[in-house]
Amino acid sequence: MDVANKSIGTLQGLPFDNLIGGPLNACIQAQNDAAMTSINFINNVCLNEDKETGEKSAVYVSFSFIQNGRKVVINVPMIAIVPIPYIAINSIDISFKATVNGVESESSSTETEYESKGTKKSTRKTGLFRKKTTTINSTFSTKRDSKSTQDSKFSVEATIDVAVHAGQESMPAGMAKILEMLGAAMDLCSPDGELSVNDTTFYAEKNANDKEYLPVKVIAQYKTPEGLYDATNIKCDIGEGVKSAENKMDKTREFEITLPKESPTQGKQYVISCGDVQKVTITVLPKP
């Protein structure tokens, strides 16, 4: 019974907090490292940072291809086409079996020693003047040793097995929404950019006095090959009755065109341009 109690006491002394808590802490640290890997991947691969302002913008992949007989350029956010590492620990299984090996020994020994000493002396005379003496010494000893040993052995076993199951975690809802928006933002445009106007034929009405024509409003818009709107270089043939309005957030440019009083029935033509390549011809006609 004492041996069993001692073995249980020894087993209770094992550092179970380390045996169980150690693997759990390691898994928590691994999960933290996996999350940081995802953050670093997005920051270093999918985003660009402006060194002056610190503003971050998505990295776009641009390439051209032929569509319906014309060359077009597609701009795709990189974050929408590359897999983002989302590794997560799904389950942790910890099982252990303790092992304690011990030997308890109990021994006893006895020792007995006996010793005896004696002296015997004898004298004998011969003749008138001769005397002979004999002395005998004797010693006797005995020693007896005895030893007994009793051994008690006990064994308690403890082993630990840790199984960690990890895999690709589902994408967070916020990131899924961002990718949905970026996917919808994919755009096609011309390698030379695209110039567009709100119409190519406009009809000018006369005012109440029926003497002068009211101005018509022409709205022009230019999209760069990168898919950005830029109205700074949009121009219209400056002539009689052409007035340029202010830009609206650099996305569009407005022109007010007024026909002269003596305007031909076939109207007049004006050229809206942006650079040397993009040109659109519009016609302003008197309203019948």
Side-chain angles (χ1 to χ4, degrees):
M1 189 68 177
D2 292 339
V3 174
N5 292 334
K6 290 181 179 180
S7 64
I8 293 174
T10 305
L11 186 61
Q12 291 176 345
L14 291 176
F16 288 107
D17 53 345
N18 293 332
L19 293 176
I20 299 176
L24 289 176
N25 290 332
C27 291
I28 293 173
Q29 183 61 40
Q31 187 68 59
N32 177 73
D33 294 342
M36 292 304 301
T37 299
S38 301
I39 294 174
N40 292 334
F41 179 85
I42 294 174
N43 286 330
N44 298 332
V45 178
C46 302
L47 298 179
N48 270 335
E49 182 176 356
D50 192 313
K51 295 182 179 180
E52 296 182 357
T53 63
E55 182 181 356
K56 293 184 177 181
S57 59
V59 175
Y60 275 77
V61 177
S62 301
F63 56 91
S64 61
F65 63 97
I66 304 300
Q67 184 185 55
N68 298 327
R70 67 187 185 99
K71 188 177 182 180
V72 294
V73 175
I74 185 171
N75 300 297
V76 186
M78 180 176 290
I79 194 173
I81 60 177
V82 297
I84 301 175
Y86 285 113
I87 303 299
I89 296 175
N90 300 322
S91 63
I92 305 171
D93 300 328
I94 301 176
S95 59
F96 62 88
K97 182 170 58 175
T99 303
V100 177
N101 293 319
V103 177
E104 184 182 68
S105 298
E106 181 179 353
S107 63
S108 62
S109 63
T110 59
E111 181 178 326
T112 304
E113 184 175 353
Y114 173 78
E115 182 177 356
S116 176
K117 295 182 179 181
T119 303
K120 185 177 181 182
K121 185 177 182 182
S122 62
T123 304
R124 187 178 61 171
K125 296 181 179 181
T126 57
L128 285 175
F129 303 103
R130 297 183 64 183
K131 182 179 180 180
K132 186 175 182 181
T133 301
T134 302
T135 302
I136 300 175
N137 295 321
S138 63
T139 300
F140 172 78
S141 66
T142 180
K143 184 177 181 181
R144 183 179 65 186
D145 296 330
S146 65
K147 184 178 181 181
S148 62
T149 302
Q150 181 179 359
D151 294 337
S152 299
K153 297 182 179 180
F154 60 90
S155 176
V156 181
E157 186 173 306
T159 59
I160 182 170
D161 298 323
V162 180
V164 179
H165 303 279
Q168 181 76 4
E169 183 70 357
S170 58
M171 187 177 300
M175 179 57 68
K177 186 66 176 178
I178 291 175
L179 293 181
E180 180 182 351
M181 295 172 60
L182 291 175
M186 287 189 295
D187 195 15
L188 298 177
C189 60
S190 170
D192 299 323
E194 295 180 357
L195 177 64
S196 60
V197 293
N198 55 335
D199 204 345
T200 56
T201 303
F202 297 86
Y203 294 93
E205 297 181 356
K206 286 190 176 182
N207 57 18
N209 297 328
D210 197 24
K211 293 182 179 180
E212 296 181 352
Y213 289 98
L214 297 174
V216 297
K217 182 177 294 186
V218 180
I219 302 175
Q221 194 173 53
Y222 175 72
K223 183 189 291 185
T224 67
E226 291 77 20
L228 301 176
Y229 289 107
D230 185 5
T232 55
N233 295 322
I234 299 178
K235 298 178 181 180
C236 179
D237 290 340
I238 301 299
E240 184 182 356
V242 178
K243 180 181 178 181
S244 176
E246 295 181 356
N247 293 351
K248 292 186 177 181
M249 299 178 63
D250 290 334
K251 292 184 178 181
T252 61
R253 182 179 289 275
E254 295 183 0
F255 300 96
E256 292 183 353
I257 300 176
T258 304
L259 287 176
K261 296 180 181 180
E262 301 294 333
S263 184
T265 56
Q266 67 270 22
K268 294 190 64 176
Q269 290 185 336
Y270 301 85
V271 177
I272 309 293
S273 64
C274 184
D276 298 330
V277 179
Q278 296 295 318
K279 294 181 180 182
V280 175
T281 300
I282 63 172
T283 302
V284 181
L285 299 170
K287 188 173 182 180

